[in-house]
Amino acid sequence: MKIFKGKGVCGAIASGRVSVFKRNEAPVKRYTIGDVSAEIERFENAKSLAREQLDAIYSKALFEVGETNASIFEIHIMMLDDEDFNESVRGIISDRLINAEYAVSVTKDNFAAMFSEMDDSYMRARATDIRDISNRLISCLSSDSSHQEDIDGRVIICADDLAPSETVSLDKGKVLAFATAYGSSNSHTAILARTMNIPALIGLGEEFLNAISDGDMAIVDGFTGEFFLDPDEETEKKLTQKREADIEKKALLHKLKGKENVTLDGRKIDIFANIGGVGELGAVLLGDAGGIGLFRSEFLYLEREDYPTEEQQFEAYKKVLESMAGKKVIIRTLDIGADKKADYFGLSQEENPALGFRAIRICLERPEIFKTQLRALYRASAYGRLGIMFPMITSVSEVERILSLCRLVRAELKAQEIEYDENAELGIMIETPAAAIISDRLSPLVDFFSIGTNDLTQYTLACDRQNPHLEQFCDTHHEAILRLIKHTCDNAHKHGKWVGICGELASDLSLTREFIKMGVDELSVSPNMVLKVRDVVRSLNLSK
Ligand code: PEP
Ligand code: MG
């Protein structure tokens, strides 16, 4: 048995035989042409043929993966008319008197390289679309097309990478799973795999390609990202059990998609999702979350070598808001320090970092960083329903300073005639005992509270959350914590504000009933927990 480790883009397990994806990729021939207009006509005819093929693929995708996901093929159809692309091809044909196939191939390499070098990971992933559409044009010019030999039985499709059109063209009834050596989780192929609910692994590496052959037995674990080639009996048994349990669980939970989060006696709550980056949006949509209750924006800072610019942040926030299509999105401002450090901040070593210079303290001391983020957030607010949330609050004066900075940013944007949402909500995290205790004073100042039970627990019980030896002292159900949560809920409601929980305790199903009884309005959990919490909420009767 050999194990390859990649990244699972769709959590499910499949076992079966390998089928190595074959495509006709004969080297593109280069030859000199005599008649430029005839060659350009050939190119135009190939475009028409490609358009016809893409129309058919779009219809298939529409049926199999729905309108939103099928729209990538509409984009491919539009790309056929992209002026820059077409001009480049025509230019190479007419200036260098070279055949159309070669002109498309050169243009493909140039455009794909340009996209691959872009900062934005979404744009980088578009290089695959350029290659896909160009290869289609080249095969239309050679009246030849990519193909997979007729597959016998259901198989695990293994490839270097798969283009979106290749993914959707495969007969879904015959595909058990996808496994690729390269690829990104932001690619449309990954998105399609998730939507088609087919176990899929990407990034298994070059060695994987060399090791597999048609007919090999394999198991794909989309949860752990593992590919087991020629699995031994014990692995097979273990994964069969895991698969059966997963199928059973999913079938039960799937029935809850689109259903309300309402108790048997009629109390409704919101169940939102926590994310750390744009890459997790797919899971949020798949999990059927009603919104995003916590976007930990610091990951945008942690994945870089230098401060993200206003533009880079704006693009990321806008993408989240647009993807959530009008559902509430709560983005938390920078919560750096303690366990989350980036060298370029130049933070000094501290004896007790969790009690140190972190989160809002840094933002208020270094307003240039904070203002850049607030501007990006307010600009993005024009694209959806944004709530901005501030971490590690301990006092009224901190909140007043934040609000005055927000006013300043809004005034600046207004003066520059830049659009933003006047009604974007402003809230704070209740994650220090101080904030919970004075929540009566804080509540009139803001639109909402979100309780961060991870930090609230560490500060209330004096248990460093990073220290594994303190497990036994860290009782998350401690009466002190539950009382602080109840106190916070009461004070929020006294002033007509909503209150949520976004710490890990929100997904502790043994407390769901108690939280709802306390008056919690929203629970924000990891995307794969949304349906599990919904399941519990719908089984509760608070009057009993
Ligand atoms: C919390 O403290 O509960 C919280 C949600 O924030 P983080 O875990 O990011 O500190
Ligand atoms: Mg916290």
Side-chain angles (χ1 to χ4, degrees):
M1 174 172 78
K2 265 193 174 165
I3 306 174
F4 297 93
K5 183 98 175 79
K7 197 166 168 196
V9 293
C10 178
I13 295 166
S15 95
R17 302 242 167 236
V18 163
S19 171
V20 182
F21 188 74
K22 298 165 194 77
R23 62 170 76 86
N24 284 343
E25 270 192 352
V28 176
K29 286 201 187 82
R30 178 188 196 278
Y31 54 88
T32 310
I33 50 138
D35 186 343
V36 169
S37 42
E39 197 61 15
I40 290 184
E41 199 182 329
R42 268 188 76 224
F43 172 55
E44 292 303 329
N45 290 340
K47 273 171 41 184
S48 306
L49 183 56
R51 197 170 288 113
E52 270 172 38
Q53 292 179 352
L54 284 166
D55 278 339
I57 292 177
Y58 174 73
S59 308
K60 185 170 189 283
L62 199 60
F63 177 70
E64 285 184 353
V65 293
E67 194 172 345
T68 314
N69 292 299
S71 65
I72 181 60
F73 301 111
E74 275 188 316
I75 296 171
H76 281 198
I77 294 169
M78 271 153 48
M79 279 162 73
L80 284 173
D81 292 320
D82 181 84
E83 259 322 297
D84 293 333
F85 188 91
N86 284 317
E87 247 172 55
S88 162
V89 175
R90 284 193 220 105
I92 295 171
I93 296 174
S94 53
D95 299 345
R96 289 156 57 183
L97 303 180
I98 291 174
N99 59 313
E101 290 88 330
Y102 198 77
V104 172
S105 174
V106 170
T107 305
K108 165 182 87 170
D109 291 345
N110 292 342
F111 276 60
M114 185 175 81
F115 275 92
S116 312
E117 278 161 18
M118 290 189 176
D119 281 344
D120 186 301
S121 63
Y122 180 82
M123 294 309 280
R124 270 202 306 278
R126 300 290 69 78
T128 314
D129 296 322
I130 301 278
R131 289 194 196 95
D132 192 7
I133 188 73
S134 306
N135 289 340
R136 176 169 305 281
L137 278 170
I138 293 169
S139 41
C140 287
L141 278 160
S142 350
S143 28
D144 174 19
S145 58
S146 311
H147 71 287
Q148 174 75 0
E149 277 162 23
D150 211 14
I151 301 170
D152 198 13
R154 298 188 74 198
V155 288
I156 299 170
I157 299 285
C158 299
D160 48 356
D161 199 357
L162 283 170
S165 63
E166 288 170 339
T167 311
V168 90
S169 300
L170 289 167
D171 182 349
K172 193 179 161 217
K174 292 186 171 178
V175 178
L176 287 167
F178 298 122
T180 64
Y182 316 110
S184 80
S185 44
N186 221 356
S187 71
H188 278 285
T189 302
I191 296 168
L192 290 171
R194 269 187 221 112
T195 318
M196 291 158 95
N197 209 12
I198 290 179
L201 304 184
I202 55 165
L204 289 160
E206 190 96 31
E207 226 184 284
F208 155 78
L209 275 187
N210 299 331
I212 48 161
S213 327
D214 277 337
D216 286 345
M217 256 323 280
I219 303 182
V220 166
D221 186 339
F223 295 103
T224 60
E226 285 168 309
F227 184 98
F228 301 89
L229 183 60
D230 196 12
D232 57 31
E233 221 172 286
E234 199 186 323
T235 307
E236 217 166 307
K237 202 167 143 205
K238 207 173 84 197
L239 281 146
T240 307
Q241 281 167 358
K242 191 170 168 186
R243 185 166 148 245
E244 279 163 6
D246 174 52
I247 291 172
E248 214 172 293
K249 225 186 298 164
K250 279 201 180 124
L252 282 175
L253 289 176
H254 194 75
K255 291 195 185 129
L256 295 177
K257 280 198 181 183
K259 297 250 165 79
E260 279 189 316
N261 309 309
V262 60
T263 62
L264 293 170
D265 52 330
R267 171 81 206 281
K268 281 186 198 159
I269 67 154
D270 283 321
I271 305 179
F272 289 0
N274 293 347
I275 60 168
V278 174
E280 289 160 53
L281 282 170
V284 173
L285 300 174
L286 202 68
D288 200 29
I292 289 175
L294 168 64
F295 176 177
R296 292 178 160 99
S297 71
E298 55 274 13
F299 286 100
L300 279 177
Y301 293 73
L302 294 173
E303 66 197 19
R304 287 184 160 72
E305 305 285 306
D306 204 349
Y307 299 102
T309 61
E310 180 183 318
E311 213 50 40
Q312 285 167 335
Q313 294 190 55
F314 164 68
E315 286 299 334
Y317 304 149
K318 176 175 160 226
K319 178 136 190 257
V320 177
L321 283 155
E322 284 184 333
S323 306
M324 292 307 290
K327 289 182 177 163
K328 203 179 270 186
V329 173
I330 309 291
I331 302 183
R332 175 176 75 185
T333 59
L334 181 62
D335 184 9
I336 206 139
D339 53 321
K340 295 177 237 165
K341 289 237 165 60
D343 287 345
Y344 63 85
F345 273 79
L347 300 173
S348 42
Q349 287 292 333
E350 293 176 308
E351 282 283 318
N352 293 300
L355 303 178
F357 190 49
R358 57 171 291 200
I360 203 70
R361 298 172 181 176
I362 298 178
C363 289
L364 289 173
E365 286 301 299
R366 296 175 65 177
E368 69 293 351
I369 299 177
F370 197 25
K371 237 183 100 194
T372 304
Q373 182 168 36
L374 289 174
R375 277 184 62 93
L377 284 165
Y378 269 113
R379 281 175 57 200
S381 71
Y383 296 85
R385 199 164 152 222
L386 176 69
I388 307 175
M389 174 158 82
F390 305 97
M392 270 296 283
I393 299 298
T394 56
S395 71
V396 168
S397 67
E398 278 165 351
V399 178
E400 284 170 346
R401 284 172 70 193
I402 294 166
L403 295 180
S404 101
L405 206 61
C406 288
R407 273 194 297 274
L408 187 83
V409 167
R410 287 198 302 267
E412 227 177 68
L413 292 175
K414 195 171 230 161
Q416 294 171 327
E417 294 183 11
I418 297 174
E419 250 192 292
Y420 67 90
D421 178 10
E422 293 270 1
N423 300 317
E425 289 189 319
L426 296 176
I428 55 172
M429 291 201 61
I430 301 290
E431 53 182 346
T432 64
I437 293 165
I438 61 162
S439 48
D440 57 331
R441 303 271 319 279
L442 298 171
S443 150
L445 303 176
V446 295
D447 298 310
F448 67 91
F449 288 154
S450 186
I451 304 173
T453 50
N454 308 336
D455 278 318
L456 188 61
T457 306
Q458 92 163 333
Y459 296 131
T460 308
L461 303 183
C463 278
D464 179 355
R465 67 194 262 194
Q466 296 296 107
N467 187 337
H469 305 299
L470 298 180
E471 283 285 303
Q472 54 172 316
F473 303 105
C474 187
D475 172 13
T476 52
H477 291 206
H478 195 294
E479 193 186 341
I481 295 162
L482 298 178
R483 280 205 215 174
L484 287 175
I485 296 175
K486 170 82 168 72
H487 184 67
T488 303
C489 289
D490 291 346
N491 284 327
H493 292 150
K494 251 184 230 160
H495 297 274
K497 310 296 163 76
W498 66 268
V499 55
I501 300 180
C502 63
E504 287 309 298
L505 214 55
S507 51
D508 185 330
L509 303 177
S510 67
L511 287 175
T512 311
R513 180 188 177 91
E514 198 160 347
F515 287 151
I516 300 181
K517 280 193 109 167
M518 287 180 188
V520 169
D521 302 289
E522 175 243 27
L523 291 168
S524 192
V525 297
S526 64
N528 67 348
M529 284 301 295
V530 170
L531 291 176
K532 291 180 193 159
V533 180
R534 178 174 299 164
D535 193 25
V536 172
V537 169
R538 291 174 64 85
S539 70
L540 295 175
N541 188 343
L542 304 176
S543 60
K544 279 194 182 158

